[in-house]
Amino acid sequence: GLQRVPFLELDDGTIVPESLAIIDYLEERWPDVPMIGTTPEERARVRALERSMDIDILFAVAMIVHASVSPVGYPPNRGVVSWFTQAMTTPLAVLDRTLSDGRPFVAGERPTIADCSLAAALQFARFGKLQLTEGHAHIAAWDTRYRARDVAKSVLVM
């Protein structure tokens, strides 16, 4: 099949590709640790936030990194870098305003899938030497708090 990251390998060797499929699997497998939410309203809000982190920020970061210092050898493309850098301007500003209310996590008081997608975006940005948190003090503070958690330290390598 398609070689995708991320992927999750189950104990029986089954490969589950794609973030949303992995999230759904984990949510169903361990429902006592809800990463999507516990009510229809909360799940809708968390999923909307996650999609913004994924589509508006993580995807843009991936396009910029692959068009500048691609780890898989894609050729540089300044136009792509410029376009996606500009495209992230508003989503980053909106996120920074959202986090300005002092919430510890993207969706509120506990970590959700939105935090996972934002963490992935910021990790990949660090790999690509992008400065996403410059001028976004609340995103920078979120990133520092998020990465300081023991569970984050156990899985984040950069």
Side-chain angles (χ1 to χ4, degrees):
L2 297 173
Q3 295 181 0
R4 304 262 188 182
V5 291
F7 69 88
L8 175 66
E9 183 174 356
L10 305 182
D11 290 340
D12 69 358
T14 300
I15 300 294
V16 179
E18 299 295 340
S19 298
L20 291 179
I22 294 167
I23 288 166
D24 285 341
Y25 170 80
L26 295 172
E27 192 76 1
E28 289 181 30
R29 185 74 173 82
W30 290 282
D32 294 337
V33 184
M35 293 292 290
I36 297 174
T38 58
T39 67
E41 294 79 13
E42 185 182 16
R43 285 191 293 274
R45 188 171 52 80
V46 167
R47 285 183 185 275
L49 286 165
E50 188 282 330
R51 297 314 299 143
S52 179
M53 299 307 103
D54 188 29
I55 295 166
D56 298 332
I57 300 173
L58 179 55
F59 181 75
V61 167
M63 294 303 292
I64 293 166
V65 169
H66 282 297
S68 56
V69 291
S70 176
V72 295
Y74 293 144
N77 186 325
R78 289 186 200 172
V80 167
V81 170
S82 178
W83 197 95
F84 280 99
T85 299
Q86 179 60 38
M88 266 196 307
T89 302
T90 298
L92 288 171
V94 168
L95 174 61
D96 201 60
R97 278 193 306 272
T98 299
L99 294 172
S100 73
D101 67 4
R103 65 181 68 191
F105 299 101
V106 174
E109 295 301 315
R110 59 186 164 77
T112 67
I113 61 175
D115 297 282
C116 297
S117 291
L118 179 56
L122 294 177
Q123 285 294 99
F124 202 31
R126 274 187 279 284
F127 169 82
K129 303 199 180 346
L130 306 179
Q131 302 298 320
L132 294 191
T133 58
E134 278 186 15
H136 300 102
H138 302 290
I139 297 173
W142 174 93
D143 186 41
T144 299
R145 286 190 314 270
Y146 191 82
R147 290 190 298 141
R149 298 166 45 247
D150 287 339
V151 68
K153 288 180 188 177
S154 74
V155 296
L156 299 177
V157 295
M158 296 196 312

